[in-house]
Amino acid sequence: MLEVKNLQVVFPNGNEALKSISLSAERGEIIAVIGRSGAGKSTLLRCINGLQAATSGEIILDNENISGMGQQQLRLVRRHIGFVWQEYNLIERLPVITNVLTGRLGYNRGLGSLLGYFDRTHREIAINSLERVNMLHRASFRADRLSGGEKQRVSIARAIAQEPKILLADEPVASLDPELSLQVMSDLARVARDVGVLTLINIHQVELARQFADRIIGIARGQVEFDGEPGALTTSVLDRIYRFDHQLTPVVSSVTQFEAEANSA
Ligand SMILES: Nc1ncnc2c1ncn2[C@@H]1O[C@H](COP(=O)(O)OP(=O)(O)OP(=O)(O)O)[C@@H](O)[C@H]1O
Ligand SMILES: [Mg+2]
């Protein structure tokens, strides 16, 4: 279903965010991606979504090679990729139901979509998605009236309304308190299981990863350091994933140098 082969991303400033990532995943798997800040988790998801171009390597989603695609093709593929953002990315002034319907935009072509008109099938899918996250009672609320946890549930509904082949979530609970984090992760995992969609979740809370994912991928320094069941994530493995990266030291010294230069100027 998803095949990532030797994925490398080097940014124009020479920063190698991903060194060589390889993984494969099947329909229905729920995978938590963990790792230190800067390990490359977001870059990996952005590559799968086609928002970030790979320097080398391949990403194959459902037999289509995403890494070699132009913008137009990517737009078509992206309608099958659900994305849940840390900051929800809802259209704040619009009602909840309209926000969820935007998940159907990729399927709603022509004049209808320009006028914001969605036929019955689209509406039924949107309503069904809201029901899955227990938010149907808020369908006519403006998005900016919702609490953080409710907003994230709506954004999960929007992603599910896309009927995605893959669902990507980049730190979906990082803006929520511990209790809500638990609830929203639980909703996300339950909905993903119900619809059987392959799901990748970047997350900093290791305990939530263990609790809700079938599989955990630990990334360190742009490489896969661990890939296995939550039960195999021992403290020594965690130490390897979260170990202080001595390679970062030169960055610190160049900042010091920069400050010294600034002071002497
Ligand atoms: N546009 C960019 N140009 C240069 N370097 C970048 C760019 N975007 C990200 N990076 C660097 O790439 C590395 C990986 O970043 P990424 O955002 O993927 O990490 P992350 O694991 O998601 O971190 P966090 O947990 O803080 O979200 C970091 O060193 C980051 O500074
Ligand atoms: Mg990130």
Side-chain angles (χ1 to χ4, degrees), residues 11 13 15 17 35-43 171 204:
F11 285 107
N13 66 355
N15 201 350
R36 287 177 65 100
S37 194
K41 304 180 297 296
S42 295
T43 307
E171 301 197 26
H204 277 290

Side-chain angles (χ1 to χ4, degrees), residues 185-203:
M185 263 302 279
S186 156
D187 284 338
L188 176 58
R190 176 179 44 76
V191 172
R193 272 205 179 91
D194 285 352
V195 300
V197 64
L198 166 60
T199 302
L200 264 67
I201 309 167
N202 284 352
I203 185 158

Side-chain angles (χ1 to χ4, degrees), residues 54-237:
T55 307
S56 66
E58 283 186 340
I59 296 170
I60 295 155
L61 179 65
D62 211 16
N63 299 319
E64 288 189 297
N65 190 341
I66 291 182
S67 25
M69 284 183 181
Q71 283 308 316
Q72 207 169 352
Q73 270 179 302
L74 275 176
R75 259 196 298 277
L76 289 178
V77 170
R78 233 178 254 141
R79 73 179 188 187
H80 299 294
I81 303 180
F83 211 102
V84 174
W85 315 80
Q86 177 181 342
E87 294 299 339
Y88 328 117
N89 277 8
L90 298 177
I91 306 169
E92 296 278 326
R93 300 175 61 83
L94 290 182
V96 162
I97 187 73
T98 315
N99 270 280
V100 178
L101 278 165
T102 64
R104 302 297 304 165
L105 269 180
Y107 300 95
N108 197 32
R109 309 215 134 254
L111 191 62
S113 92
L114 284 178
L115 298 173
Y117 173 79
F118 290 86
D119 73 18
R120 197 173 156 156
T121 318
H122 294 301
R123 289 183 172 273
E124 276 169 6
I125 291 171
I127 287 169
N128 182 270
S129 305
L130 274 177
E131 247 170 358
R132 284 188 184 280
V133 294
N134 301 317
M135 284 295 292
L136 192 54
H137 63 298
R138 293 279 188 261
S140 58
F141 263 52
R142 260 171 58 154
D144 57 8
R145 304 261 159 82
L146 303 177
S147 71
E150 289 176 328
K151 282 183 183 174
Q152 200 55 303
R153 286 198 185 92
V154 171
S155 102
I156 292 167
R158 176 183 56 190
I160 290 297
Q162 279 176 258
E163 300 182 311
K165 289 178 181 171
I166 184 169
L167 178 58
L168 306 172
D170 197 356
E171 301 197 26
V173 298
S175 303
L176 306 175
D177 69 33
E179 197 186 328
L180 270 180
S181 296
L182 183 76
Q183 282 175 19
V184 171
M185 263 302 279
S186 156
D187 284 338
L188 176 58
R190 176 179 44 76
V191 172
R193 272 205 179 91
D194 285 352
V195 300
V197 64
L198 166 60
T199 302
L200 264 67
I201 309 167
N202 284 352
I203 185 158
H204 277 290
Q205 296 95 319
V206 175
E207 280 319 308
L208 291 180
R210 278 190 211 274
Q211 199 174 339
F212 294 106
D214 312 316
R215 175 176 161 195
I216 295 181
I217 295 180
I219 294 185
R221 297 158 290 274
Q223 287 176 296
V224 174
E225 184 68 49
F226 171 82
D227 184 348
E229 289 179 8
L233 192 71
T234 59
T235 31
S236 70
V237 172

